[in-house]
Each structure stands twice: as C-alpha cells, then as structure tokens.
Amino acid sequence: MHRGIGNAMKGGPALVGAVLFGWAAAVAAQAMQPAPPATTHAVARPAASEPMKVVVQVSDDDPRTWNLALNNLRNLQGALGASSVVAELVAYGPGIGMLQRDSSVQARITQALADGVQIVACQNTMRGRKLTPPDMISGIGYVPSGVVEIVQREREGYSYLRP
C-alpha cells in the first residue's frame, strides 16, 4: 500500500491547517526566546591597585615608527599615570639601530628611560650586527632574545603593542 502526498492531503484542510499552525507556533516561540549571548573574549582588567602592563615591539628602523611607539607609551602614562603603567619596549632586527648612540631618536629614548619605560635590546641581533653595549644608548637593558622576551611578557599578562 503506497501512501503519497495525495493520500496525506485527504485528511482535509484541518490537517494542513494544524500542521501550518504548529509550524507557525514553533517559529513564533523561537522568535520570542532571548538571543544567545554573543561570543566575546573576556578581557582581564587589572585591579585598580595593579599597574597596567604593556610590552611594545619595535623591529623597524624607521624613526616614524619609533616616535609612534614612544608617543603611545607617553600617552599611556599620561592617561593612567606613570606609576600605574609598567612598560617595556623590546627592540630587535632592524629596529636595533635606533638604540645606537648616534640614533636620530636618541633624545626621545633617553626621555622614555627617564619616564620609567624599560627599553631593551636583543642580544641575538646585536651579535649579528657586531654591536656591543658601548655602541648603544646608555641606560637601556639587554635580553638574550627579543622575541622570547615578548612571548614571556605576554605569558605574564602584559598587553602587546606593535606600532
């Protein structure tokens, strides 16, 4: 015995109406449900007493990039207060040249150091370019690997910036 759509329709308009009414009720009920919460990534905010921590990568030798990075740090300290910010600028690759004594941004770097920004040079890059600490701006620090330093800081909860 074969039942096709024609046989199902023999139930009459009442059956079709009941099916359509059930479908419409289900759609209406679904529309009345609150939308599921949007999937967002929670941003951990430090407690008011904890300083904001930021690590800045500069791997470009362009003075404009360096000035932008230094402006970002100055603005962050200005907005939150220097004592509320722990800032580290990590230079590696071509960016290492801006930490040399004769750098065009030497005065800005010296000021950032005076403002409490920790500025570090990658020793891997320095070795590759045959640079030694006497070639560099006084007061900067040194890390074995700039990339490793950034990754470690991120694991410690630092925010990452790259201008």
XYZ file of all heavy atoms in Angstrom, residues 54-100:
345
model
N 52.422 46.605 29.747
C 52.437 46.600 28.292
C 53.858 46.354 27.793
O 54.820 46.867 28.355
C 51.875 47.926 27.712
C 52.699 49.121 28.132
C 51.746 47.864 26.208
N 53.958 45.517 26.760
C 55.234 45.290 26.082
C 55.045 45.750 24.631
O 54.049 45.436 23.993
C 55.695 43.810 26.164
C 54.718 42.862 25.492
C 57.091 43.653 25.590
N 56.002 46.540 24.169
C 55.931 47.123 22.831
C 57.063 46.561 21.984
O 58.226 46.592 22.398
C 56.042 48.662 22.891
C 55.985 49.267 21.494
C 54.948 49.241 23.773
N 56.727 46.060 20.824
C 57.720 45.540 19.883
C 58.066 46.618 18.869
O 57.175 47.220 18.274
C 57.161 44.336 19.131
C 58.060 43.898 17.978
C 57.399 42.864 17.085
O 56.575 42.082 17.526
N 57.767 42.866 15.810
N 59.359 46.872 18.681
C 59.800 47.728 17.585
C 60.921 46.986 16.859
O 62.005 46.802 17.394
C 60.269 49.121 18.049
C 60.660 49.956 16.835
C 59.176 49.827 18.833
N 60.609 46.553 15.646
C 61.595 45.838 14.838
C 61.820 46.555 13.510
O 62.346 45.969 12.579
C 61.147 44.385 14.622
O 59.829 44.339 14.121
N 61.433 47.829 13.455
C 61.634 48.656 12.258
C 62.712 49.695 12.539
O 62.833 50.174 13.665
C 60.352 49.414 11.889
C 59.197 48.498 11.527
O 59.427 47.294 11.370
O 58.071 48.996 11.413
N 63.434 50.075 11.504
C 64.447 51.109 11.675
C 63.952 52.482 11.234
O 64.738 53.403 11.045
C 65.736 50.736 10.935
C 65.535 50.611 9.437
O 64.391 50.711 8.951
O 66.542 50.395 8.732
N 62.657 52.636 11.110
C 62.055 53.899 10.687
C 61.830 54.797 11.905
O 61.105 54.411 12.831
C 60.727 53.601 9.990
C 60.052 54.828 9.426
O 60.490 55.969 9.705
O 59.052 54.644 8.706
N 62.418 55.988 11.930
C 62.216 56.888 13.075
C 60.739 57.206 13.332
O 60.341 57.419 14.480
C 62.988 58.156 12.694
C 63.996 57.713 11.690
C 63.371 56.553 10.966
N 59.912 57.216 12.287
C 58.478 57.482 12.493
C 57.840 56.377 13.327
O 56.999 56.642 14.181
C 57.758 57.617 11.148
C 58.143 58.882 10.406
C 57.415 59.003 9.093
N 57.668 57.781 8.310
C 57.137 57.517 7.139
N 56.311 58.367 6.593
N 57.432 56.416 6.499
N 58.221 55.126 13.077
C 57.690 54.015 13.861
C 58.136 54.141 15.312
O 57.344 53.928 16.236
C 58.154 52.662 13.279
O 57.714 52.584 11.916
C 57.601 51.498 14.069
N 59.403 54.499 15.513
C 59.913 54.674 16.871
C 59.197 55.814 17.581
O 58.821 55.689 18.748
C 61.424 54.920 16.842
C 62.160 53.633 16.858
C 62.508 52.866 15.780
C 62.605 52.927 18.012
N 63.148 51.730 16.198
C 63.226 51.753 17.565
C 62.536 53.185 19.372
C 63.783 50.828 18.438
C 63.100 52.268 20.244
C 63.707 51.102 19.775
N 59.006 56.923 16.897
C 58.296 58.044 17.517
C 56.866 57.672 17.853
O 56.355 58.061 18.908
C 58.366 59.288 16.625
C 59.690 59.993 16.747
O 60.179 60.230 17.850
N 60.300 60.325 15.617
N 56.224 56.897 16.995
C 54.865 56.444 17.286
C 54.850 55.553 18.525
O 53.998 55.721 19.413
C 54.287 55.690 16.077
C 52.878 55.133 16.242
C 51.886 56.244 16.565
C 52.464 54.378 14.991
N 55.780 54.618 18.616
C 55.857 53.738 19.793
C 56.088 54.554 21.057
O 55.425 54.339 22.087
C 56.974 52.711 19.611
N 57.014 55.506 20.998
C 57.315 56.331 22.164
C 56.130 57.239 22.517
O 55.842 57.468 23.697
C 58.589 57.127 21.929
C 59.856 56.264 21.800
C 61.017 57.079 21.245
C 60.219 55.598 23.118
N 55.414 57.732 21.500
C 54.201 58.527 21.757
C 53.137 57.670 22.434
O 52.455 58.135 23.358
C 53.641 59.111 20.462
C 54.485 60.224 19.898
O 55.336 60.802 20.573
N 54.270 60.528 18.624
N 52.954 56.440 21.955
C 51.967 55.531 22.566
C 52.265 55.344 24.041
O 51.351 55.400 24.885
C 51.970 54.174 21.875
C 51.373 54.160 20.489
O 51.564 53.209 19.750
N 50.661 55.196 20.105
N 53.520 55.122 24.365
C 53.896 54.906 25.760
C 53.706 56.167 26.591
O 53.191 56.113 27.714
C 55.336 54.407 25.844
C 55.543 52.984 25.310
C 57.013 52.667 25.154
C 54.850 51.975 26.221
N 54.102 57.310 26.042
C 53.909 58.575 26.760
C 52.421 58.842 27.005
O 52.015 59.241 28.092
C 54.541 59.728 25.974
C 54.470 61.070 26.732
C 54.950 62.229 25.900
N 54.074 62.333 24.733
C 54.471 62.715 23.535
N 55.726 63.023 23.309
N 53.621 62.783 22.538
N 51.590 58.592 25.988
C 50.148 58.805 26.127
C 49.529 57.848 27.147
O 48.641 58.233 27.903
C 49.456 58.668 24.774
C 49.825 59.776 23.821
O 50.314 60.830 24.222
N 49.621 59.540 22.537
N 49.992 56.618 27.154
C 49.507 55.642 28.128
C 49.849 56.087 29.543
O 49.000 56.077 30.430
C 50.116 54.272 27.820
C 49.589 53.068 28.574
C 48.113 52.861 28.314
C 50.370 51.830 28.173
N 51.088 56.514 29.744
C 51.491 57.007 31.057
C 50.724 58.271 31.421
O 50.331 58.453 32.577
C 52.997 57.295 31.091
C 53.848 56.051 31.102
C 55.329 56.384 31.120
O 55.776 57.351 30.501
N 56.094 55.568 31.828
N 50.482 59.135 30.454
C 49.730 60.365 30.716
C 48.291 60.092 31.103
O 47.739 60.751 31.991
N 47.677 59.119 30.452
C 46.267 58.808 30.723
C 46.072 58.061 32.035
O 45.089 58.299 32.746
C 45.690 57.992 29.568
N 46.988 57.163 32.353
C 46.810 56.311 33.530
C 47.688 56.722 34.709
O 47.476 56.237 35.819
C 47.112 54.854 33.166
C 46.255 54.252 32.055
C 46.732 52.851 31.730
C 44.792 54.252 32.444
N 48.678 57.562 34.443
C 49.655 57.917 35.463
C 50.854 56.991 35.331
O 50.693 55.772 35.214
N 52.037 57.566 35.346
C 53.257 56.780 35.133
C 53.385 55.655 36.155
O 53.861 54.564 35.825
C 54.484 57.682 35.165
N 52.932 55.893 37.380
C 53.059 54.859 38.410
C 52.047 53.724 38.209
O 52.162 52.682 38.838
C 52.888 55.466 39.800
O 51.583 56.004 39.939
N 51.093 53.924 37.315
C 50.080 52.897 37.041
C 50.394 52.084 35.795
O 49.565 51.311 35.338
C 48.703 53.549 36.883
O 48.330 54.192 38.075
N 51.581 52.298 35.227
C 51.951 51.617 33.986
C 53.333 50.989 34.148
O 54.270 51.643 34.585
C 51.980 52.597 32.791
C 52.426 51.894 31.523
C 50.626 53.253 32.598
N 53.427 49.717 33.800
C 54.714 49.045 33.675
C 54.901 48.827 32.178
O 54.131 48.099 31.557
C 54.744 47.696 34.431
C 56.044 46.955 34.159
C 54.520 47.910 35.909
N 55.901 49.509 31.605
C 56.078 49.475 30.155
C 57.475 49.006 29.794
O 58.457 49.432 30.397
C 55.829 50.856 29.563
N 57.514 48.121 28.798
C 58.788 47.639 28.281
C 58.748 47.709 26.763
O 57.804 47.238 26.140
C 59.048 46.202 28.727
C 60.361 45.648 28.238
C 60.674 44.257 28.771
O 59.992 43.785 29.697
O 61.602 43.640 28.237
N 59.764 48.310 26.188
C 59.913 48.377 24.745
C 61.049 47.435 24.361
O 62.149 47.545 24.902
C 60.225 49.816 24.316
C 60.234 50.078 22.818
C 59.772 51.481 22.524
C 61.593 49.824 22.215
N 60.761 46.499 23.459
C 61.735 45.492 23.038
C 62.111 45.761 21.587
O 61.247 45.781 20.710
C 61.155 44.062 23.183
C 62.175 43.022 22.732
C 60.699 43.801 24.609
N 63.415 45.983 21.355
C 63.912 46.252 20.003
C 64.723 45.065 19.509
O 65.568 44.534 20.233
C 64.774 47.505 19.995
N 64.452 44.657 18.283
C 65.246 43.600 17.649
C 65.197 43.780 16.144
O 64.471 44.639 15.631
C 64.767 42.209 18.071
C 63.400 41.814 17.598
C 63.213 41.167 16.384
C 62.277 42.068 18.381
C 61.955 40.788 15.952
C 61.015 41.692 17.968
C 60.859 41.050 16.754
O 59.616 40.681 16.330
N 65.961 42.968 15.438
C 66.014 43.078 13.981
C 66.474 44.473 13.577
O 67.285 45.095 14.276
N 65.945 44.983 12.473
C 66.360 46.304 12.005
C 66.136 47.418 13.037
O 66.825 48.436 13.016
C 65.497 46.539 10.762
C 65.135 45.169 10.287
C 65.029 44.335 11.535
N 65.196 47.226 13.951
C 64.910 48.241 14.961
C 66.047 48.504 15.922
O 66.076 49.542 16.589
N 66.984 47.592 15.994
C 68.087 47.733 16.944
C 68.923 48.976 16.661
O 69.488 49.586 17.575
C 68.967 46.455 16.967
C 69.701 46.317 18.300
C 69.951 46.439 15.836
C 68.876 45.714 19.362
N 68.985 49.386 15.397
C 69.772 50.566 15.025
C 69.324 51.839 15.715
O 70.117 52.746 15.953
N 68.065 51.919 16.069
C 67.554 53.112 16.732
C 68.006 53.198 18.181
O 67.809 54.216 18.838
C 66.025 53.155 16.661
C 65.483 53.351 15.260
S 65.787 55.017 14.625
C 66.689 54.645 13.148
N 68.613 52.124 18.692
C 69.138 52.148 20.062
C 70.642 52.418 20.088
O 71.248 52.427 21.158
C 68.830 50.827 20.784
C 67.358 50.538 21.053
C 67.204 49.230 21.819
C 66.700 51.681 21.812
N 71.216 52.660 18.930
C 72.637 53.006 18.891
C 72.835 54.460 19.329
O 71.934 55.290 19.204
C 73.192 52.781 17.487
C 73.329 51.306 17.145
C 73.930 51.089 15.782
O 73.226 50.712 14.864
N 75.229 51.322 15.660
